[in-house]
Structures are given as structure tokens and as C-alpha cells.
Amino acid sequence: MYSHQLETFLSVVKYGSFTKAARGEYITSSAIVQQINLLEKRLGCKLFVRTNHGVALTPAGEVLAEEAEDYIRHAKAISERMRKAAEHRSIRLGWSTGAEDPRFLSECLRYRDAHPGLEVVLTHIAGSAIDGLRQGDFDLCQYFECSFLAEYGYGFAHLYDAGQCIVVRAGHPLAGRERVTLEDLAGTEIVMLAEGILPDHDAFAELVAETGAAVKTKRFADYGFETQNYCYAKGVPFLGVESLRHVYAPLIAVPVAWDVPVRMGLIYREPAWNDLTALVGAISSAFGG
């Protein structure tokens, strides 16, 4: 019923180009083009024409632009009523094999075993949890706090604070350090997430600006395998947390000397239904919340 492609379409209309829409949505231009191509194929007509200044709507595109927002709002309302009618006896757990604490999955399975009739589905998140939440691929996952959760219909329950780390491949000059300082990073390029995604990454960028540290930053839309492969192949460090070493075995997470906490917790679908609310509470209690 509801299609994420329609929101991508409206984003291109808003920004006037695929490139600007990609930047505004923190995804790649190719992903924007792919979504628009799929939508045009589905509808059987062209929605945009390229111009010297970006893209312009075709007559069919103008019709869709007038109706799309109302359609999305109506489709979401219907989906919400359907979810409530079904009583949500299923919970999709997002699992990226990266930032999760083992207690998260064990508590989910314990809750499932104590509630017959509840289906808990483990959903592997290909790429990154950021992509997964934008596409609505899961109902619950453990991840970093993101800045735009409410925009995509998710809430956040804080579990604990983790420390930032500099993640490097084995053999990198920083790999042997007990703790990395801003001075150690002078002249070094650091990969981090684009502005407006993770609060701790934005806080680190502000720290660099305030202290005048000679740190170069390269910002990506997500921390999927493509980004990690880039860092490994180029020998470029990236900003992360210690648990990311589980994602890519050759990488080493080195603690840092500055104090920028990373808020770790539960990202959950809103409005939460009874089982999801209870599961979030059970996990929070297991973490001492």
C-alpha cells in the first residue's frame, strides 16, 4: 500500500535535483535514481525530465506531486488501523551484527518464550540500521541514538552510554595506542557520518572546530559495508564505538582521550503496541534501567 518511493519522489520535487535530494536524505544519488526508476516503472510513465539546473516535473509528475502527500497520509493511517486490528502478535528484530549487546537478543528470546503466540522474527539488516529504519524494515533494534527517528516513526529508549573509539585496521600507526588524542589525529583524515545523523558525531565535529585541531573529516551517509571496506582498503580511520570490531574482524577499536558519550539504546516503532512496549521495558530492566 504505502511506498517509500513516493517519499523519495517528493524529496526530489522539494530539492529540484537527484543530487540535492540525496544530500538532504543522507543517501547516495544512485539510490535516489533507483527509487525513481522503480516508481516510474510501476506507474508506467515518466515523472521527471532533466534540465540544465536539475530536474523538472512532467505533466504526469505534476499530477502525482499534487496527490502524493494525501495518498501517503491516508495509506499510513490505513496501515496503522490494520496493525492495531491484527494486535501485533509479531515483532521484527533488526540485527546488523554490529552494535548490539548480547543481552539484547537473549532478553528478546526470553520474552518470546514467556509469551506463547508471540512471533519474534530476526531480520538481518543488510548495510546499516540507518537504512533499515528509513525503510521501516524492523520494529525494534539496539543501536546508537539517531537525530531523525521521529521523522521515520521511531522512538528511542536510552540503555547506556558508550565511549567513542577510533576504528583502524591492524598495522595502522594508531592501532597500537592505548588511547588516541586529538593531537594524534593531526593531519589525519577521519571518516564519520554525515551531519544530522548521530548526535555524538556532530558533537565530535564541534569539538574539532572549537579546539582548532588539525583533523580532516570525510562524512558518509551510513556505516554500511561499503564505508567499512573503503576505510580498510584506504587505511583511513573512522569514528565509532568498540563494538564495531565485531562487524569487520580486521578492524581494531582504539579508545579516545576526549569525552563525547555515545547514547546506546533501543530504537522501536511508534506508536508501540502492547507486546512491543512490554519488551522494551523488559530489555531496559535487564540493562538496569
Side-chain angles (χ1 to χ4, degrees):
M1 183 178 293
Y2 162 70
S3 172
H4 179 65
Q5 294 159 9
L6 282 177
E7 291 198 341
T8 302
F9 166 78
L10 288 175
S11 181
V12 176
V13 173
K14 172 183 175 182
Y15 289 102
S17 81
F18 295 142
T19 301
K20 291 179 180 177
R23 192 177 302 124
E25 298 297 329
Y26 302 108
I27 59 177
T28 62
S29 297
S30 60
I32 291 283
V33 172
Q34 182 183 37
Q35 291 292 312
I36 296 301
N37 287 343
L38 289 171
L39 182 59
E40 289 179 333
K41 183 177 180 181
R42 229 177 85 200
L43 298 177
C45 58
K46 283 287 184 184
L47 301 173
F48 295 102
V49 292
R50 295 182 180 274
T51 70
N52 292 333
H53 305 291
V55 293
L57 288 167
T58 64
E62 290 177 355
V63 173
L64 183 59
E66 292 176 1
E67 304 293 340
E69 288 189 8
D70 286 340
Y71 177 85
I72 290 172
R73 192 179 304 112
H74 186 57
K76 285 183 174 180
I78 292 174
S79 296
E80 179 58 30
R81 292 202 300 270
M82 290 170 62
R83 281 197 294 268
K84 288 181 179 178
E87 295 184 352
H88 275 298
R89 295 302 290 169
S90 175
I91 297 176
R92 298 169 301 160
L93 299 182
W95 188 260
S96 64
T97 66
E100 297 89 351
D101 185 295
R103 290 173 291 177
F104 167 67
L105 182 58
S106 62
E107 196 58 38
C108 289
L109 297 179
R110 185 178 296 110
Y111 184 88
R112 179 203 62 185
D113 293 344
H115 295 79
L118 174 65
E119 183 182 23
V120 175
V121 181
L122 195 62
T123 303
H124 175 63
I125 303 170
S128 75
I130 292 172
D131 286 337
L133 73 87
R134 284 193 175 119
Q135 297 166 18
D137 289 341
F138 56 80
D139 301 315
L140 177 67
C141 81
Q142 188 208 333
Y143 201 62
F144 318 101
E145 181 180 25
C146 298
S147 300
F148 51 84
L149 293 175
E151 180 181 348
Y152 289 91
Y154 285 93
F156 181 78
H158 178 240
L159 295 178
Y160 61 91
D161 287 343
Q164 285 186 335
C165 285
I166 295 296
V167 184
V168 295
R169 70 182 185 185
H172 190 279
L174 296 176
R177 299 293 179 90
E178 290 187 7
R179 194 169 296 272
V180 175
T181 66
L182 287 176
E183 290 74 19
D184 293 331
L185 298 178
T188 302
E189 179 183 78
I190 300 293
V191 164
M192 52 194 293
L193 287 174
E195 183 179 358
I197 296 182
L198 295 184
D200 70 283
H201 281 224
D202 292 342
F204 173 74
E206 291 174 5
L207 177 65
V208 169
E210 289 171 1
T211 59
V215 180
K216 304 173 185 177
T217 60
K218 184 178 181 69
R219 309 193 76 161
F220 280 73
D222 63 55
Y223 266 2
F225 287 114
E226 182 179 345
T227 304
Q228 294 168 36
N229 286 335
Y230 168 87
C231 293
Y232 182 75
K234 301 287 187 180
V236 178
F238 67 90
L239 190 64
V241 292
E242 192 271 342
S243 60
L244 284 173
R245 63 184 172 83
H246 299 297
V247 180
Y248 206 54
L251 296 177
I252 297 171
V254 186
V256 298
W258 57 88
D259 183 22
V260 175
V262 184
R263 285 170 57 83
M264 305 293 294
L266 302 175
I267 294 176
Y268 58 90
R269 174 69 72 182
E270 286 193 321
W273 52 99
N274 290 343
D275 280 314
L276 183 55
T277 299
L279 179 54
V280 169
I283 296 171
S284 297
S285 296
F287 279 81

